[in-house]
Short mmCIF file of all heavy atoms in Angstrom, two decimals:
data_model
loop_
_atom_site.label_atom_id
_atom_site.label_comp_id
_atom_site.label_asym_id
_atom_site.label_seq_id
_atom_site.Cartn_x
_atom_site.Cartn_y
_atom_site.Cartn_z
N THR A 1082 -7.21 0.62 -6.50
CA THR A 1082 -6.11 1.52 -6.15
C THR A 1082 -4.89 1.24 -7.03
O THR A 1082 -4.22 2.18 -7.46
CB THR A 1082 -5.76 1.39 -4.66
OG1 THR A 1082 -6.95 1.58 -3.89
CG2 THR A 1082 -4.74 2.44 -4.25
N LEU A 1083 -4.62 -0.02 -7.32
CA LEU A 1083 -3.52 -0.34 -8.22
C LEU A 1083 -3.73 0.27 -9.60
O LEU A 1083 -2.81 0.79 -10.21
CB LEU A 1083 -3.36 -1.86 -8.38
CG LEU A 1083 -2.50 -2.58 -7.37
CD1 LEU A 1083 -2.57 -4.09 -7.62
CD2 LEU A 1083 -1.06 -2.11 -7.40
N LEU A 1084 -4.96 0.22 -10.07
CA LEU A 1084 -5.25 0.70 -11.43
C LEU A 1084 -5.27 2.22 -11.52
O LEU A 1084 -4.76 2.78 -12.50
CB LEU A 1084 -6.58 0.14 -11.92
CG LEU A 1084 -6.57 -1.35 -12.27
CD1 LEU A 1084 -7.99 -1.84 -12.52
CD2 LEU A 1084 -5.70 -1.60 -13.49
N VAL A 1085 -5.85 2.89 -10.56
CA VAL A 1085 -6.05 4.34 -10.72
C VAL A 1085 -5.50 5.17 -9.57
O VAL A 1085 -5.58 6.40 -9.61
CB VAL A 1085 -7.55 4.67 -10.93
CG1 VAL A 1085 -8.07 4.05 -12.20
CG2 VAL A 1085 -8.39 4.24 -9.74
N GLY A 1086 -4.94 4.54 -8.56
CA GLY A 1086 -4.42 5.28 -7.41
C GLY A 1086 -2.92 5.37 -7.43
O GLY A 1086 -2.26 5.13 -8.44
N THR A 1087 -2.38 5.70 -6.26
CA THR A 1087 -0.93 5.79 -6.09
C THR A 1087 -0.49 4.73 -5.08
O THR A 1087 -1.31 4.17 -4.36
CB THR A 1087 -0.53 7.18 -5.55
OG1 THR A 1087 -1.08 7.34 -4.23
CG2 THR A 1087 -1.02 8.29 -6.46
N THR A 1088 0.82 4.50 -5.01
CA THR A 1088 1.31 3.55 -4.02
C THR A 1088 1.02 4.05 -2.61
O THR A 1088 0.72 3.26 -1.73
CB THR A 1088 2.82 3.28 -4.19
OG1 THR A 1088 3.53 4.51 -4.26
CG2 THR A 1088 3.10 2.47 -5.44
N GLU A 1089 1.09 5.36 -2.41
CA GLU A 1089 0.77 5.92 -1.10
C GLU A 1089 -0.67 5.61 -0.73
O GLU A 1089 -0.97 5.31 0.43
CB GLU A 1089 1.02 7.44 -1.07
CG GLU A 1089 2.48 7.82 -1.15
CD GLU A 1089 3.06 7.75 -2.57
OE1 GLU A 1089 2.28 7.83 -3.56
OE2 GLU A 1089 4.28 7.60 -2.70
N GLU A 1090 -1.57 5.69 -1.69
CA GLU A 1090 -2.98 5.38 -1.44
C GLU A 1090 -3.17 3.90 -1.11
O GLU A 1090 -4.07 3.54 -0.35
CB GLU A 1090 -3.84 5.79 -2.64
CG GLU A 1090 -3.95 7.29 -2.78
CD GLU A 1090 -4.63 7.73 -4.07
OE1 GLU A 1090 -4.48 7.04 -5.11
OE2 GLU A 1090 -5.30 8.78 -4.04
N LEU A 1091 -2.31 3.04 -1.66
CA LEU A 1091 -2.36 1.62 -1.30
C LEU A 1091 -2.08 1.43 0.18
O LEU A 1091 -2.76 0.68 0.87
CB LEU A 1091 -1.34 0.82 -2.10
CG LEU A 1091 -1.70 0.36 -3.50
CD1 LEU A 1091 -0.48 -0.26 -4.17
CD2 LEU A 1091 -2.84 -0.61 -3.48
N TYR A 1092 -1.04 2.13 0.67
CA TYR A 1092 -0.64 1.97 2.07
C TYR A 1092 -1.64 2.63 3.02
O TYR A 1092 -1.83 2.15 4.14
CB TYR A 1092 0.76 2.55 2.31
CG TYR A 1092 1.80 1.98 1.38
CD1 TYR A 1092 2.67 2.79 0.70
CD2 TYR A 1092 1.89 0.61 1.16
CE1 TYR A 1092 3.63 2.27 -0.17
CE2 TYR A 1092 2.83 0.08 0.30
CZ TYR A 1092 3.70 0.92 -0.36
OH TYR A 1092 4.64 0.40 -1.21
N GLU A 1093 -2.28 3.69 2.59
CA GLU A 1093 -3.26 4.38 3.43
C GLU A 1093 -4.63 3.71 3.37
O GLU A 1093 -5.38 3.76 4.33
CB GLU A 1093 -3.39 5.84 3.00
CG GLU A 1093 -2.13 6.65 3.23
CD GLU A 1093 -2.16 8.01 2.54
OE1 GLU A 1093 -3.18 8.35 1.92
OE2 GLU A 1093 -1.14 8.72 2.62
N GLY A 1094 -4.94 3.09 2.23
CA GLY A 1094 -6.25 2.48 2.03
C GLY A 1094 -6.27 1.00 2.34
O GLY A 1094 -6.26 0.61 3.51
N PRO A 1095 -6.28 0.17 1.29
CA PRO A 1095 -6.47 -1.28 1.52
C PRO A 1095 -5.39 -1.93 2.37
O PRO A 1095 -5.65 -2.90 3.07
CB PRO A 1095 -6.50 -1.86 0.10
CG PRO A 1095 -5.95 -0.83 -0.80
CD PRO A 1095 -6.16 0.48 -0.13
N LEU A 1096 -4.18 -1.41 2.33
CA LEU A 1096 -3.09 -2.02 3.11
C LEU A 1096 -2.85 -1.29 4.42
O LEU A 1096 -1.91 -1.62 5.16
CB LEU A 1096 -1.80 -2.04 2.27
CG LEU A 1096 -1.85 -2.87 1.00
CD1 LEU A 1096 -0.57 -2.69 0.20
CD2 LEU A 1096 -2.09 -4.33 1.32
N GLY A 1097 -3.68 -0.32 4.74
CA GLY A 1097 -3.48 0.53 5.90
C GLY A 1097 -3.38 -0.20 7.23
O GLY A 1097 -2.65 0.22 8.12
N LYS A 1098 -4.08 -1.29 7.37
CA LYS A 1098 -4.05 -2.00 8.66
C LYS A 1098 -2.98 -3.09 8.73
O LYS A 1098 -2.87 -3.80 9.71
CB LYS A 1098 -5.43 -2.59 8.97
CG LYS A 1098 -5.89 -3.68 8.03
CD LYS A 1098 -7.27 -4.19 8.44
CE LYS A 1098 -7.75 -5.31 7.56
NZ LYS A 1098 -9.04 -5.81 7.99
N TYR A 1099 -2.17 -3.19 7.68
CA TYR A 1099 -1.13 -4.21 7.63
C TYR A 1099 0.25 -3.57 7.75
O TYR A 1099 0.48 -2.45 7.32
CB TYR A 1099 -1.20 -5.01 6.33
CG TYR A 1099 -2.53 -5.70 6.15
CD1 TYR A 1099 -3.51 -5.15 5.34
CD2 TYR A 1099 -2.80 -6.89 6.82
CE1 TYR A 1099 -4.74 -5.78 5.19
CE2 TYR A 1099 -4.02 -7.51 6.68
CZ TYR A 1099 -4.99 -6.96 5.86
OH TYR A 1099 -6.20 -7.57 5.73
N ASN A 1100 1.18 -4.33 8.32
CA ASN A 1100 2.56 -3.88 8.42
C ASN A 1100 3.27 -4.35 7.14
O ASN A 1100 3.64 -5.53 7.04
CB ASN A 1100 3.22 -4.47 9.67
CG ASN A 1100 4.65 -4.01 9.83
OD1 ASN A 1100 5.06 -3.02 9.24
ND2 ASN A 1100 5.40 -4.73 10.64
N VAL A 1101 3.43 -3.46 6.19
CA VAL A 1101 4.04 -3.80 4.91
C VAL A 1101 5.55 -3.57 5.03
O VAL A 1101 5.99 -2.44 5.23
CB VAL A 1101 3.45 -2.95 3.77
CG1 VAL A 1101 4.07 -3.33 2.43
CG2 VAL A 1101 1.93 -3.09 3.72
N ASN A 1102 6.32 -4.65 4.90
CA ASN A 1102 7.78 -4.52 5.03
C ASN A 1102 8.38 -3.87 3.79
O ASN A 1102 7.72 -3.68 2.77
CB ASN A 1102 8.43 -5.87 5.35
CG ASN A 1102 8.34 -6.86 4.21
OD1 ASN A 1102 8.50 -6.51 3.04
ND2 ASN A 1102 8.08 -8.11 4.53
N ASP A 1103 9.65 -3.51 3.90
CA ASP A 1103 10.32 -2.77 2.83
C ASP A 1103 10.38 -3.54 1.51
O ASP A 1103 10.22 -2.96 0.45
CB ASP A 1103 11.73 -2.37 3.26
CG ASP A 1103 11.73 -1.29 4.34
OD1 ASP A 1103 10.70 -0.58 4.47
OD2 ASP A 1103 12.74 -1.15 5.05
N MET A 1104 10.61 -4.85 1.59
CA MET A 1104 10.67 -5.65 0.36
C MET A 1104 9.31 -5.70 -0.33
O MET A 1104 9.22 -5.61 -1.55
CB MET A 1104 11.16 -7.07 0.67
CG MET A 1104 12.62 -7.14 1.09
SD MET A 1104 13.75 -6.69 -0.26
CE MET A 1104 13.65 -8.17 -1.24
N ALA A 1105 8.25 -5.83 0.46
CA ALA A 1105 6.91 -5.84 -0.11
C ALA A 1105 6.59 -4.47 -0.72
O ALA A 1105 5.97 -4.39 -1.79
CB ALA A 1105 5.87 -6.20 0.95
N LYS A 1106 7.02 -3.39 -0.06
CA LYS A 1106 6.81 -2.05 -0.61
C LYS A 1106 7.53 -1.89 -1.94
O LYS A 1106 7.00 -1.31 -2.88
CB LYS A 1106 7.28 -0.98 0.38
CG LYS A 1106 6.34 -0.79 1.54
CD LYS A 1106 6.83 0.31 2.48
CE LYS A 1106 5.86 0.49 3.62
NZ LYS A 1106 6.27 1.54 4.56
#
């Protein structure tokens, strides 16, 4: 996802089950 996706896809896909704080975003 980092290589060929978007940041939105990161949050919906591999990071979807995690609470990603604003600094991490």
Side-chain angles (χ1 to χ4, degrees):
T1082 307
L1083 274 175
L1084 288 170
V1085 297
T1087 64
T1088 50
E1089 291 79 23
E1090 290 171 327
L1091 277 173
Y1092 306 132
E1093 294 168 3
L1096 297 174
K1098 65 180 182 178
Y1099 301 100
N1100 182 18
V1101 181
N1102 67 41
D1103 290 340
M1104 291 293 285
K1106 285 182 180 180

